[in-house]
Amino acid sequence: RYDSPVKLKYVKHRPSHAVDHANGPMALPGTYHIAVTVDGHTQQATATVGPDPSLHATMPQFRAETAAALTARNELNAMDEMLNRIGAMQKQIAGFQEAAKSDENLQSKYSPLLQRAGKLQTKLNSLKAAVYNPNIQHNVAEDFLHALEDFHQKLSGLYSDLAFTYPGGLSLSLYKPRMAAMRSELNQHLGDFNSFLKTQVAVYNKAAYAAGAPTLLEGSPISVKPVGKI
């Protein structure tokens, strides 16, 4: 299999497709070179991966469906990276707020910055809530009793469908509208987050630096990585 999707770090519940997240899409049939290094020692070998003999998928089908699965994985990676970055910034802000409010002198000194931090925390909560609903039991595959699926669940479900159906068992033409809709909404969420980094986080960091307070590790803009040649 290929590499699995990025794991969420700053959520209380594991994703509804947690078992699927532990694995990446299946590799194409072919001969692979394997190198394993342990304690500085490397051993090498080759292995041949064959198709399921009970199915009759062609190599173009394998490639197309593998490419679709890897695309969905990379989209989920971008979404999870965004959520992880939001969680990291929330933790940084909360730490600063707690430290400043524990000392009256610091609280007075950083009063304007603490107000900015509060507004930033509200925006981070909003960005997260737009894609990840904490009221849903994310370790339950279909928890419709509490709320409708959030975007993260829908994107995880798409990845699961594409990555864990053996090649030849999918009709990609039926998935294309769903894939396009997911990509369009994902781009919108990533765009909102990247704009937030460029504007509000940048302004906050400038004010924090001027006040001698910790700045946020905002990182670079997030985008979906291309799959490349398969």
Side-chain angles (χ1 to χ4, degrees), residues 51-185:
D52 186 332
S54 66
L55 298 177
H56 303 286
T58 64
M59 186 56 78
Q61 282 180 297
F62 270 108
R63 291 189 184 280
E65 294 178 22
T66 300
L70 288 172
T71 297
R73 182 205 61 184
N74 288 0
E75 290 172 349
L76 189 56
N77 280 345
M79 179 87 283
D80 286 355
E81 182 184 352
M82 188 188 94
L83 285 168
N84 285 338
R85 295 260 290 277
I86 287 173
M89 284 190 283
Q90 287 177 318
K91 188 175 181 180
Q92 291 175 63
I93 292 173
F96 168 64
Q97 290 172 323
E98 184 178 355
K101 292 179 179 179
S102 65
D103 185 302
E104 289 185 3
N105 292 329
L106 290 178
Q107 188 171 355
S108 176
K109 176 182 178 181
Y110 294 130
S111 179
L113 190 62
L114 286 169
Q115 292 180 14
R116 287 179 180 268
K119 292 179 180 179
L120 213 60
Q121 195 74 289
T122 298
K123 180 60 178 179
L124 286 167
N125 290 336
S126 176
L127 288 169
K128 181 177 178 180
V131 297
Y132 191 93
N133 186 347
N135 296 320
I136 296 177
Q137 299 178 90
H138 285 81
N139 58 338
V140 178
E142 295 182 353
D143 182 21
F144 301 122
L145 296 177
H146 294 81
L148 296 177
E149 282 188 308
D150 57 31
F151 179 72
H152 185 271
Q153 282 187 306
K154 292 177 182 178
L155 194 60
S156 296
L158 175 63
Y159 167 71
S160 178
D161 288 349
L162 293 173
F164 294 90
T165 300
Y166 193 82
L170 285 174
S171 177
L172 283 182
S173 61
L174 297 178
Y175 276 88
K176 285 183 178 179
R178 181 180 168 195
M179 292 165 64
M182 290 288 99
R183 185 58 173 266
S184 177
E185 186 171 350

Side-chain angles (χ1 to χ4, degrees), residues 206-217:
K206 185 176 180 180
Y209 181 80
T215 57
L216 296 178
L217 300 174

